[in-house]
Amino acid sequence: MSDSTFLDADRLAGLRARLRSGTATTTAAPVPDAPAPAAVTPAAPAAAGPARSALPDLGVIFFSGLTDGTDPYDLLLDVSRYVDRAGFTAIWTPERHFTEVGGAYPNPAVLGAALATVTERVRIRAGSVNLPLHDVLRAAEEWALVDHLSGGRVDLALAPGWHARDFVLNPEGYEKRSLLLNEAREQLQGLWRGTPVPRRDPAGEVHEVLTFPRPVQPELPVWLTTSKNEDAWRFAGENGLNVLSALINFGPPELRKRIEIYRAARAGAGLDPERGVVSLMLHTYVGTDRARAVELVRPAMTEYLGSFVGQHAGSGQAELKDKSDTLLNLGDDRDAFVEMVFQRYVSTSSLIGDAGSARTVLEDFRSMGVDEVACLVDFGLPKDEVLGSLARLATLIPQEV
């Protein structure tokens, strides 16, 4: 689909001229990428990835908490019960702070504990824990508890965090967040295996601290959350981590390149290049007719994409603020810009359509090396539409004999 679809050619030309004079991009929704982690000693390999098949595994991810005026937790619980029965692989919940969009999800461990009690088989995943905001001892305690409640179904995606406002929780950690992520990730994996962490008490005495409860799983499966940062993909491969990504400011051809970098890095570190798991977040709605599906999601999706403009302004990162300022200064052209982003996003970077087009999209991403698609469902549609979409999508999941 052309990126000029549904836009008057003259107006699109003028809009592009204005965009090219600034720093905005029209390739995807304008949201940030996680910075590349600093190098650390290689960790043990992650758990083996899923068996290769024609389609990726399917999971569900929550991110925005937008539910057409209804209770976001009602949607979360009902969707979780459904996907647990229908053969989906995982449920991902995020960590987001101090923002209306996504503010329903400040603590994925609390959400994971709730989901563990209403599901039986689906993996309970954080997508993601912003680890530099937390004491690693508390993170180990909380997620070991969820591992017990779920019978050993916990997986964690870890991220450094990106929005400066979030770091009111740890102001000193913002500038060194990538380094802190790596240090804390190694400590978290060590604590999970039973390696104590030295800590000093108020009297100055050093204690070797081991957290409890002890988890069910002997190893904690870990994903690194990143988008277009090639160094982060390479780091994940070299250190035996899985990857959680989204098509943010880059498209499918660039994704293929990054997956190749990741697989090559695993091979270079002596790891099976095909066993690392690449999970990709895609906005998802599967209807009975592709054109009708696109029109149904248009109001919710355009509002969702436009909401990122305000988040950029206070992110604390100069490049993102410049991008936000450019978008805010578009004036009457802002709606046209969001529509252009919507059209490109739907046509290249989403799972929005009917079951036939969904299968084609999934096959394409599988051919690039994507192991799992995390279907983002909470971007403003009514609950019955979300559940109906998942039921149609579930017809693509191979059924166990």
Side-chain angles (χ1 to χ4, degrees):
M1 181 184 294
S2 167
D3 60 3
S4 60
T5 303
F6 301 132
L7 283 175
D8 175 80
D10 291 337
R11 189 175 187 198
L12 178 60
L15 175 61
R16 280 176 165 162
R18 293 185 64 181
L19 290 172
R20 287 169 179 168
S21 67
T23 59
T25 178
T26 62
T27 58
V31 294
D33 183 35
V40 297
T41 302
R52 299 303 177 184
S53 62
L55 298 179
D57 288 341
L58 295 174
V60 170
I61 191 166
F62 292 82
F63 188 73
S64 64
L66 300 175
T67 56
D68 194 37
T70 60
D71 183 349
Y73 309 115
D74 181 55
L75 176 69
L76 174 69
L77 293 172
D78 281 356
V79 165
S80 298
R81 293 185 184 100
Y82 175 74
V83 301
D84 189 55
R85 300 190 305 268
F88 287 74
T89 300
I91 306 166
W92 304 78
T93 56
E95 177 185 352
R96 307 195 68 190
H97 299 287
F98 319 127
T99 175
E100 183 177 359
V101 178
Y105 309 130
N107 191 326
V110 173
L111 293 171
L115 298 182
T117 65
V118 299
T119 60
E120 296 180 353
R121 55 160 301 279
V122 71
R123 302 294 296 182
I124 307 297
R125 292 181 180 165
S128 310
V129 176
N130 296 323
L131 204 51
L133 299 179
H134 304 279
D135 188 313
V136 70
L137 295 175
R138 294 290 293 127
E141 289 177 334
E142 292 173 0
W143 284 103
L145 175 58
V146 180
D147 204 42
H148 271 274
L149 290 173
S150 65
R153 291 185 282 134
V154 160
D155 304 321
L156 299 187
L158 304 178
W162 69 276
H163 204 295
R165 183 182 56 221
D166 293 354
F167 280 82
V168 299
L169 298 171
N170 179 18
E172 294 76 20
Y174 181 71
E175 294 299 331
K176 55 182 179 181
R177 59 193 181 278
S178 292
L179 177 61
L180 291 178
L181 170 63
N182 296 327
E183 293 174 347
R185 189 261 304 166
E186 286 194 319
Q187 289 181 344
L188 177 60
Q189 290 179 297
L191 286 164
W192 200 272
R193 299 182 190 115
T195 304
V197 171
R199 288 293 180 92
R200 191 179 303 275
D201 70 15
E205 183 178 354
V206 175
H207 302 267
E208 294 292 322
V209 179
L210 184 63
T211 55
F212 294 90
R214 301 304 305 142
V216 175
Q217 300 178 99
E219 285 284 340
L220 174 64
V222 173
W223 276 247
L224 178 66
T225 301
T226 190
S227 183
K228 67 178 181 178
N229 191 314
E230 292 184 6
D231 288 339
W233 284 86
R234 186 175 294 106
F235 174 89
E238 292 170 346
N239 288 271
L241 306 176
N242 305 312
V243 175
L244 173 62
S245 192
L247 294 173
I248 295 171
N249 292 332
F250 75 117
E254 292 81 12
L255 174 66
R256 182 188 295 274
K257 176 184 177 183
R258 282 152 181 80
I259 294 175
E260 290 171 352
I261 289 171
Y262 171 68
R263 304 289 182 201
R266 285 184 60 89
L271 304 172
D272 184 343
E274 298 304 317
R275 303 303 289 176
V277 179
V278 173
S279 301
L280 179 67
M281 183 184 81
L282 294 176
H283 283 77
T284 299
Y285 176 75
V286 177
T288 57
D289 175 84
R290 187 183 187 283
R292 290 177 182 173
V294 171
E295 290 309 309
L296 179 67
V297 305
R298 183 188 299 278
M301 276 291 296
T302 53
E303 182 176 351
Y304 176 91
L305 294 172
S307 71
F308 285 112
V309 175
Q311 293 187 48
H312 281 181
S315 69
Q317 300 182 44
E319 178 185 356
L320 298 177
K321 185 179 185 304
D322 290 344
K323 191 174 295 184
S324 175
D325 290 344
T326 299
L327 297 177
L328 290 172
N329 290 332
L330 286 174
D332 292 340
D333 285 330
R334 183 179 180 277
D335 289 343
F337 171 81
V338 172
E339 171 65 13
M340 184 169 64
V341 171
F342 169 75
Q343 288 298 332
R344 176 167 296 187
Y345 196 80
V346 166
S347 64
T348 67
S349 306
S350 78
L351 201 57
I352 294 171
D354 57 20
S357 66
R359 175 180 286 278
T360 299
V361 170
L362 291 171
E363 289 173 345
D364 288 346
F365 281 116
R366 187 69 193 90
S367 72
M368 297 178 197
V370 172
D371 298 289
E372 178 199 14
V373 167
C375 302
L376 194 154
V377 297
D378 63 330
F379 55 92
L381 297 178
K383 182 173 70 173
D384 60 342
E385 292 288 356
V386 173
L387 291 172
S389 165
L390 291 172
R392 289 182 281 272
L393 188 61
T395 64
L396 304 180
I397 299 175
Q399 300 302 308
E400 295 182 0
V401 179

